[in-house]
């Protein structure tokens, strides 16, 4: 379970691999066009508790209680042992640099505890920007940055492989960086500049390249992910200048890709996990081997070989993922299976160098009370899946942590497990609603974890994911403005794709029926002002459907623009709207969605990037965010629109409680008034704007959704693509 970026715009332009020195709070070094809010804003996460793929965990070998965590799209974190929580380190990454919020690799310097390095770059595709390396001398409190000329892929296949970044064991000023398509890079000035070096294996345009870098004594080993199963996939250098294939290394399908490696300095043995694919998806075979580095002898120590059958006859196929050795006990280590769906993944532990193994899953007891969504709508929590991040505390032999597609589990006694995730939020948030009444001030819809009812903003929702049915990814969320207890939602699920609630989203019931297309293409959904009508859209090329009996029956609306997002008037139940991006036309209905007719035309025809919003309590007041083409406003139900002169770009728009003495709701926007894309608030109907975030709080790409709180002036909720729901309040 992992989230994906929603836009390919605003990618970071490629630059030379030279130092670009910055420090918090101003990584972009550009002034906001609008004045910042007087007194500033305080920003926090609305707690969900993890929710995304943990791709790496790294304990510092020389400092007790110091650890770092990386994610595929949600940045990096440092463990605060005193506060018992993770501290985000990359929230300063701004809109233009969104591709840097994915962390490909991280490294620490054993000899200098305050130094930490991050290799950033979410995608290696042509439309994504180049990668960058951040370096810090104060454990990530401030950073210096070097832009690279190569691309990295923190959210691509192989993102759970071993750290591709390493401080050289012979020289703390020298770093190594393995790339996917551009071979091996090195730096001799602690990451300030990088140069390509010769490496025996040739890069592949579509492959994995270097999957891991690990030190074994003074020798550096590199895994190669593009082997055909017979050619070498593990290389080493003893002098930092020449590389050679490691003799005698395992071959065959089960040892095709070296996933991770760990070195036991007591026994001088290097342990390597292998699979037939880089993962986290697609692995069906794998193995574990160890190399006695002094003699060069290889030994297979695979706990359980894939390829058997489970009790119900299913094929027990999987690879191996994480590996970690005990710094205090020679020959003690843990390894994890990966992509084992039939018999469920596990962590194996050995105390005799891999001769015998114990599955920690067999006696595991889980407590997920702090993050109830891990019950997955009522099921008991499973041991996990996509286990590639695995770490063992060098100061506590019984403290083991492992990442999954949704959380980080930890134990202090090898039996009792609980999420060790405080502070980490990685949801890709697609919808937000702040109800005007009721217990919850927030409902959220996300990728992979569906809809949540936030009765408190400071704790993971006690009800977990909305159930009946459970959705993997939410595609629509709508509240009846005149009857806010009525809410509908849509999404990807195995037991229905739409549901309704009569208690503000606490409990749900599935629609009695749904259009056939809903299962293969569930899209956005809307309810009209009094909840009497539902409109459901199903993506490009598909017609919209209408229900007037709470989802018991559906009829096609032939005049609804195919693939459009339905929007309901907040006052008049008979009025509904939809924007057709193909023709740039606003369509409106005055008969509760039975028929739609064209109104304003010529609005950014052909561009799929837009958002249509309605002003609470105002019939016919529409706002059209056309992204980099600006913000448009209508007060006549879409018959005409005028461009808002105060905005250069508008990506998402929402409304909240009006300022004292103001007659119009506060307007919140992610956009720009001149040059800087940021979060803004207007208290005068978009005549003027105040920037309310700052350079320390930017969160990469935040263009999906924003909502003001109708009950608390100044409070705003922002959906991020990898840092969950951020909410801000004036201070």
């Amino acid at each position: 379970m992992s989230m994906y970026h929603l836009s390919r715009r605003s990618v970071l332009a490629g630059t030379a691999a030279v130092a670009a020195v910055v420090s918090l709070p101003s990584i972009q070094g550009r002034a906001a066009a609008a004045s910042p809010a007087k007194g500033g804003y305080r920003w926090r996460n609305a707690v969900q508790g993890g929710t995304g793929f943990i791709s790496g965990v790294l304990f510092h070998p020389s400092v007790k209680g110091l650890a770092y965590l990386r994610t595929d799209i949600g940045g990096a974190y440092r463990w605060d042992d005193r506060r018992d929580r993770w501290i985000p380190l990359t929230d300063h990454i701004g809109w233009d640099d969104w591709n840097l919020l994915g962390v490909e690799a991280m490294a620490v310097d054993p000899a200098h505890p305050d130094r930490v390095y991050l290799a950033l770059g979410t995608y290696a595709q042509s439309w994504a920007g180049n990668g960058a390396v951040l370096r810090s001398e104060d454990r990530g409190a401030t950073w210096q940055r070097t832009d690279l000329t190569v691309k990295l892929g923190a959210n691509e296949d192989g993102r759970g492989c071993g750290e591709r970044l390493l401080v050289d064991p012979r020289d703390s000023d020298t770093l190594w960086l393995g790339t996917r398509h551009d071979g091996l890079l090195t730096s001799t000035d602690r990451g300030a500049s990088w140069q390509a070096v010769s490496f025996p294996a040739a890069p592949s345009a579509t492959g994995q390249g270097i999957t891991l870098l690990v030190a074994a004594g003074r020798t550096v080993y590199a895994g190669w992910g593009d082997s055909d199963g017979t050619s070498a996939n593990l290389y080493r250098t003893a002098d930092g200048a020449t590389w050679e294939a490691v003799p005698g290394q395992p071959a065959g399908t089960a040892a095709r890709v070296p996933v991770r490696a760990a070195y036991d300095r007591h026994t001088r043995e290097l342990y390597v996990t292998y699979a037939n694919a880089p993962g986290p998806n697609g692995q069906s075979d794998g193995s574990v081997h160890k190399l006695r580095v002094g003699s060069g002898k290889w030994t297979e120590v695979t706990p359980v070989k894939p390829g058997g059958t489970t009790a119900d006859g299913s094929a027990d196929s999987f690879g191996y993922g994480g590996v970690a050795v005990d710094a205090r006990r020679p020959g003690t280590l843990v390894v994890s299976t990966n992509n084992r769906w039939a018999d469920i993944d596990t962590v194996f532990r050995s105390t005799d160098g891999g001769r015998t193994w114990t599955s920690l899953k067999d006696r595991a007891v889980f407590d997920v009370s702090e993050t109830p969504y891990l019950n997955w709508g009522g099921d008991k929590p499973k041991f996990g899946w996509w286990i590639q991040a695995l770490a063992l505390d060098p100061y506590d032999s019984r403290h083991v942590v492992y990442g999954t597609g949704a959380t980080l589990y930890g134990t202090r006694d090898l039996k009792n497990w609980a999420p060790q995730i405080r502070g980490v939020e990685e949801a890709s948030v697609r919808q937000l609603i702040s109800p005007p009444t009721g217990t919850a001030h927030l409902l959220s819809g996300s990728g992979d974890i569906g809809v949540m009812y936030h009765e408190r903003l400071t704790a993971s929702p006690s009800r977990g994911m909305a159930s009946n049915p459970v959705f993997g990814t939410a595609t629509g969320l709508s509240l009846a403005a005149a009857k806010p207890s009525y809410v509908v939602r849509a999404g990807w699920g195995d037991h229905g794709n739409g549901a309704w609630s009569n208690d503000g989203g606490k409990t749900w019931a599935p629609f009695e029926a749904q259009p056939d297309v809903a299962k293969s293409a569930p899209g956005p959904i809307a309810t009209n002002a009094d909840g009497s009508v539902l409109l459901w859209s199903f993506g490009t090329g598909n017609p919209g459907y209408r229900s007037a009996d709470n989802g018991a029956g559906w009829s096609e609306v032939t005049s609804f623009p195919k693939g459009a997002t339905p929007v309901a008037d907040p006052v008049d139940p008979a009025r509904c709207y939809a924007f057709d991006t193909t023709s740039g036309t606003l369509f409106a209905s005055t008969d509760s969605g039975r028929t739609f007719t064209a109104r304003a035309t010529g609005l950014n025809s052909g561009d799929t990037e837009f958002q249509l919003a309605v002003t609470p309590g105002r019939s016919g007041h529409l706002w059209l965010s056309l992204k980099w083409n600006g913000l448009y406003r209508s007060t006549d139900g879409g018959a005409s629109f005028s461009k808002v002169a105060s905005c250069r770009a508008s990506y998402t728009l929402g409304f909240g409680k009006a300022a004292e003495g103001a007659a119009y709701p506060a307007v919140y926007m992610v956009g720009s008034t001149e040059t800087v894309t940021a979060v803004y608030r207007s208290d005068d109907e978009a005549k003027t704007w105040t920037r309310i975030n700052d350079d320390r709080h930017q969160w990469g790409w935040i263009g999906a959704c924003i909502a003001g709180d109708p009950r608390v002036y100044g409070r705003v909720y922002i959906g991020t693509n990898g840092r969950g729901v951020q909410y801000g309040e004036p201070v």
Side-chain angles (χ1 to χ4, degrees):
M1 185 170 69
S2 182
M3 297 71 146
Y4 294 87
H5 198 277
L6 304 179
S7 174
R8 297 183 178 182
R9 300 280 183 168
S10 302
V11 297
L12 176 66
T15 54
V18 296
V21 180
V22 295
S23 60
L24 292 179
S26 179
I27 194 165
Q28 288 186 324
R30 297 184 295 185
S35 59
K38 293 181 179 179
Y41 257 62
R42 180 185 182 187
W43 293 96
R44 290 171 286 183
N45 266 115
V47 176
Q48 291 170 293
T51 76
F53 180 46
I54 307 301
S55 50
V57 178
L58 185 61
F59 283 101
H60 199 288
S62 307
V63 181
K64 184 178 182 180
L66 179 59
Y68 295 90
L69 178 151
R70 64 177 167 97
T71 66
D72 51 4
I73 66 169
Y77 297 78
R78 181 187 69 247
W79 178 252
D80 187 326
D81 206 38
R82 181 180 60 85
R83 296 170 59 192
D84 194 33
R85 66 184 297 108
W86 296 95
I87 306 301
L89 300 179
T90 48
D91 283 354
H92 61 276
I93 291 174
W95 177 273
D96 291 340
D97 290 336
W98 65 262
N99 191 54
L100 300 183
L101 208 59
V103 185
E104 177 85 295
M106 54 190 176
V108 297
D109 187 340
H112 298 85
D114 291 338
R115 292 180 185 171
V116 61
Y117 303 89
L118 302 176
L120 308 179
T122 311
Y123 299 105
Q125 309 304 312
S126 60
W127 43 263
N130 290 338
V133 172
L134 297 187
R135 59 194 190 278
S136 174
E137 299 280 345
D138 52 16
R139 305 186 184 186
T142 61
W143 296 99
Q144 293 178 306
R145 167 175 155 183
T146 296
D147 292 326
L148 302 174
T149 58
V150 304
K151 299 178 186 296
L152 305 179
N155 194 35
E156 299 193 349
D157 285 347
R159 59 193 180 275
C161 287
E163 301 305 333
R164 294 173 165 92
L165 185 63
L166 180 71
V167 176
D168 192 286
R170 298 173 298 269
D171 178 9
S172 288
D173 289 345
T174 298
L175 279 76
W176 300 95
L177 174 60
T179 73
R180 293 165 178 267
H181 309 301
D182 298 279
L184 184 64
L185 308 182
T186 189
S187 170
T188 57
D189 51 14
R190 298 205 300 273
S193 62
W194 293 85
Q195 303 80 35
V197 297
S198 177
F199 191 76
S204 167
T206 59
Q208 286 295 307
I210 294 169
T211 58
L212 64 90
L213 292 166
V214 64
R218 296 173 62 83
T219 299
V220 174
Y221 288 79
W224 185 252
D226 295 336
S227 169
D228 60 5
T230 60
S231 57
N233 57 28
L234 192 66
Y235 296 85
R236 68 186 178 193
T237 180
D239 58 9
T242 57
W243 290 82
E244 65 172 355
V246 179
Q249 59 187 268
T253 302
R256 182 173 181 176
V257 179
V259 178
R260 285 182 174 260
Y263 179 62
D264 188 331
R265 60 184 176 85
H266 299 290
T267 64
R268 298 187 66 207
E269 292 174 319
L270 180 70
Y271 293 88
V272 186
T273 57
Y274 290 92
N276 61 337
N281 281 310
Q283 295 177 341
S284 59
D285 200 1
S287 59
V288 183
H289 297 259
K290 69 176 180 179
L291 168 67
R292 188 174 293 274
V293 298
S295 66
K297 179 183 178 182
W298 282 93
T299 305
E300 182 173 0
V301 292
T302 307
V304 174
K305 292 189 176 183
T309 56
T310 62
D312 64 0
S314 301
D316 189 20
S317 62
F318 57 92
Y320 278 90
V323 57
V325 298
D326 192 329
R328 304 168 67 86
R329 298 182 179 183
T332 298
L333 71 152
V334 288
V335 301
S336 67
T337 63
N338 185 67
N339 208 48
R340 192 183 194 185
W341 296 102
D343 203 30
I344 308 302
D345 280 301
T346 187
V347 171
F348 288 103
R349 181 174 184 261
S350 175
T351 59
D352 55 12
R355 287 190 293 273
T356 61
W357 296 90
T358 300
S359 172
L360 299 184
K361 178 180 69 174
D362 296 343
R363 60 193 297 263
V365 177
F366 284 89
D367 178 3
V368 297
S369 57
E370 192 168 316
T371 52
Y373 75 89
L374 290 169
N375 285 310
W376 304 113
D379 294 338
K380 293 181 180 180
K382 296 178 173 60
F383 196 84
W385 71 101
W386 285 14
I387 304 176
Q388 293 188 294
L390 177 64
L392 207 163
D393 190 336
Y395 291 88
D396 183 353
S397 297
R398 299 170 72 81
H399 182 199
V400 180
V401 297
Y402 67 88
T404 76
T407 193
L408 179 76
Y409 281 117
T411 182
R412 299 275 183 174
D413 61 7
L414 304 180
K415 177 182 178 181
N416 294 287
W417 299 82
Q420 193 173 332
I421 205 71
R422 290 178 187 170
V424 176
E425 300 292 345
E426 205 198 345
S428 176
V429 182
R430 283 89 182 274
Q431 297 97 22
L432 292 171
I433 291 176
S434 185
T437 61
T439 302
H441 280 247
L442 180 67
L443 301 177
S444 67
S446 298
D448 296 345
I449 56 168
V451 170
M452 287 189 175
Y453 177 89
H454 300 258
E455 68 269 66
R456 296 170 58 197
L457 298 176
T458 55
S460 186
S462 63
R463 297 176 178 274
M465 299 166 60
S467 57
N468 196 26
V470 171
F471 293 158
T473 290
T475 60
L477 184 62
S478 179
L479 174 148
K483 185 184 177 183
S485 61
Y486 184 75
V487 191
V488 293
R489 61 186 174 96
W492 292 94
D494 295 330
H495 304 287
N497 302 92
W500 60 276
S501 172
N502 256 338
D503 54 15
K506 290 181 183 178
T507 60
W508 297 85
F511 295 147
E512 291 183 25
Q514 64 181 36
D516 291 340
V517 70
K519 188 172 183 179
S520 59
I525 193 169
T527 176
N528 67 343
D530 63 5
S532 61
V533 170
L534 305 178
L535 291 172
W536 201 352
S537 180
F538 300 101
T540 303
N542 292 314
Y545 283 79
R546 177 181 184 272
S547 175
D549 52 12
N550 202 34
W554 297 86
S555 58
E556 181 180 333
V557 182
T558 57
S559 55
F560 182 86
K562 291 183 177 181
T565 298
V567 176
D569 191 276
V571 177
D572 186 348
R575 291 193 179 194
C576 304
Y577 313 98
F579 181 63
D580 178 26
T581 60
T582 302
S583 62
T585 302
L586 189 287
F587 285 78
S589 172
T590 57
D591 57 5
S592 300
R594 293 180 180 86
T595 59
F596 283 79
T597 57
R599 293 201 171 181
T601 61
L603 297 164
N604 194 37
S605 177
D607 202 321
T608 60
E609 301 285 335
F610 82 98
Q611 185 199 61
L612 182 64
V614 293
T615 306
R618 302 293 197 279
S619 182
H621 281 221
L622 309 180
W623 300 75
L624 185 60
S625 292
L626 293 179
K627 312 305 179 183
W628 42 90
N629 292 304
L631 177 65
Y632 291 77
R633 185 185 181 189
S634 171
T635 57
D636 56 12
S640 62
F641 280 85
S642 59
K643 189 170 186 178
V644 177
S646 61
C647 289
R648 182 185 67 88
S650 179
Y651 298 93
T652 183
L653 200 77
F655 304 88
K657 185 177 181 179
E660 184 175 354
Y664 206 82
V667 184
Y668 296 92
M669 178 182 71
V670 174
S672 61
T673 57
E674 291 182 13
T675 59
V676 175
T677 301
V679 185
Y680 296 89
R681 188 192 71 229
S682 175
D683 296 328
D684 57 7
E685 299 185 50
K687 295 181 180 69
T688 62
W689 298 90
T690 299
R691 183 184 178 186
I692 60 175
N693 72 325
D694 54 54
D695 288 344
R696 293 178 63 89
H697 301 92
Q698 299 194 81
W699 318 289
W701 190 83
I702 50 174
C705 52
I706 189 171
D709 194 307
R711 290 176 270 180
V712 182
Y713 168 70
R715 182 189 287 175
V716 61
Y717 308 95
I718 300 172
T720 74
N721 186 57
R723 280 288 287 122
V725 179
Q726 300 286 337
Y727 74 99
E729 296 176 304
V731 294

